Amino acid sequence: ASAEERRSFALPRRQELYAQEPDAYMSVERLALLPRGDAKIGSPLPIIVVSHAWRSAEHPDPEGDNLLALVDAFGVQRARSRFPEGGFAVFYDWCSLPQRDANGTRTAAEREAFVHALSKMQVWYAHAQTLVYMLTKTPPAWGDVVPYAERGWPTFEQHITMFNKRQSMKCWANVVDVNDPSARPPPPLTAEAFDQLLASKVFTNDADPSVVSVLYKDTLATAFGLAMNLRYVGMHWSDEEFAQLA
């Protein structure tokens, strides 16, 4: 495809998408009418949550590389009966949260909405009833862009995704590594170990590491604070990883 054709796959930011296609947004009422997943994995909602790296601050996926990979992954899982058969909602930060304009600013209302959403970001990934798709490899065309694994927010999203997910090969896939389907999720880290890991990651906003650290601690406390049992099956963790979990 030509460069112009590739650019046509670039999704608009939230503000433009809402103005151009208001029906693209899934209301709570519409979502409630959609079929839910199997009770074996907690009757998940048909909500796809995307974890990904941004190509640049101006646009996360200006030529649709990740978008096309994501669509292909949906098709693969649907062919295996591991994806919602009908309608579904998608949380994708660029299209779901108020983004900066060409001058790098948000209105006061947009800023307020963005900050509030950021304070609840863990819910999308850690919730037992969401389906998380992770784009863990940057497309070759992106060159020397900082990889997914070296970024702070994606590291946070990846680690909290497994906290509350119940899985079965006969139900909707609720944790999918789009670029490496055989990848196994890491065991949960203590707050201290996660902070050490986070110190080695890249953030574009200097304030974000402290925000992510607090969110991780809150998520960890919520997921495990009152847990009486922990059940992990088929994780293939090493002895060291199980010791880390303990």
Side-chain angles (χ1 to χ4, degrees):
S2 68
E4 183 176 353
E5 289 172 327
R6 297 290 292 182
R7 284 194 293 272
S8 71
F9 290 114
L11 294 171
R13 68 180 185 134
R14 185 198 188 284
Q15 292 92 320
E16 278 75 38
L17 182 58
Y18 186 76
Q20 297 165 11
E21 301 287 345
D23 289 340
Y25 285 89
M26 179 75 72
S27 68
V28 173
E29 292 75 20
R30 285 173 61 196
L31 183 63
L33 296 175
L34 297 179
R36 300 180 69 143
D38 199 296
K40 293 178 183 177
I41 57 171
S43 303
L45 293 160
I47 299 177
I48 312 300
V49 181
V50 183
S51 176
H52 64 111
W54 283 40
R55 184 169 184 177
S56 72
E58 290 72 35
H59 198 288
D61 193 24
E63 295 182 350
D65 299 291
N66 273 340
L67 176 62
L68 295 177
L70 193 63
V71 170
D72 285 345
F74 291 171
V76 169
Q77 296 302 331
R78 179 166 274 174
R80 297 172 178 170
S81 298
R82 303 202 66 211
F83 192 85
E85 293 182 3
F88 57 93
V90 178
F91 175 82
Y92 178 71
D93 54 5
W94 174 252
C95 297
S96 301
L97 305 177
Q99 303 298 329
R100 292 186 175 93
D101 61 19
N103 297 317
T105 61
R106 296 183 180 90
T107 66
E110 291 169 351
R111 172 70 179 169
E112 182 180 2
F114 179 82
V115 170
H116 177 73
L118 211 63
S119 72
K120 309 295 183 183
M121 193 58 58
Q122 76 278 17
V123 175
W124 292 106
Y125 298 91
H127 200 286
Q129 296 178 339
T130 61
L131 316 175
V132 179
Y133 279 64
M134 298 175 287
L135 292 148
T136 58
K137 306 292 183 186
T138 51
W142 288 17
D144 59 356
V145 167
V146 177
Y148 178 99
E150 295 179 19
R151 297 179 182 231
W153 277 103
T155 295
F156 166 71
E157 294 158 4
Q158 186 178 45
H159 275 77
I160 66 170
T161 286
M162 280 303 299
F163 279 5
N164 290 312
K165 296 287 195 291
R166 293 164 56 188
Q167 295 182 287
S168 170
M169 293 300 294
K170 298 180 180 180
C171 304
W172 291 351
N174 55 11
V175 180
V176 177
D177 186 324
V178 172
N179 305 108
D180 186 4
S182 64
R184 55 185 178 83
L189 296 174
T190 64
E192 294 75 15
F194 183 75
D195 279 345
Q196 292 177 5
L197 176 65
L198 207 60
S200 67
K201 304 304 177 182
V202 176
F203 287 89
T204 55
N205 188 323
D206 291 341
D208 281 355
S210 60
V211 172
V212 170
S213 177
V214 170
L215 288 178
Y216 186 86
K217 290 180 176 68
D218 289 347
T219 309
L220 191 67
T222 301
F224 296 107
L226 299 176
M228 300 299 293
N229 297 286
L230 297 177
R231 185 172 184 267
Y232 295 100
V233 179
M235 294 299 166
H236 305 292
W237 289 334
S238 66
D239 291 346
E240 291 77 13
E241 287 174 317
F242 269 111
Q244 173 183 292
L245 175 64

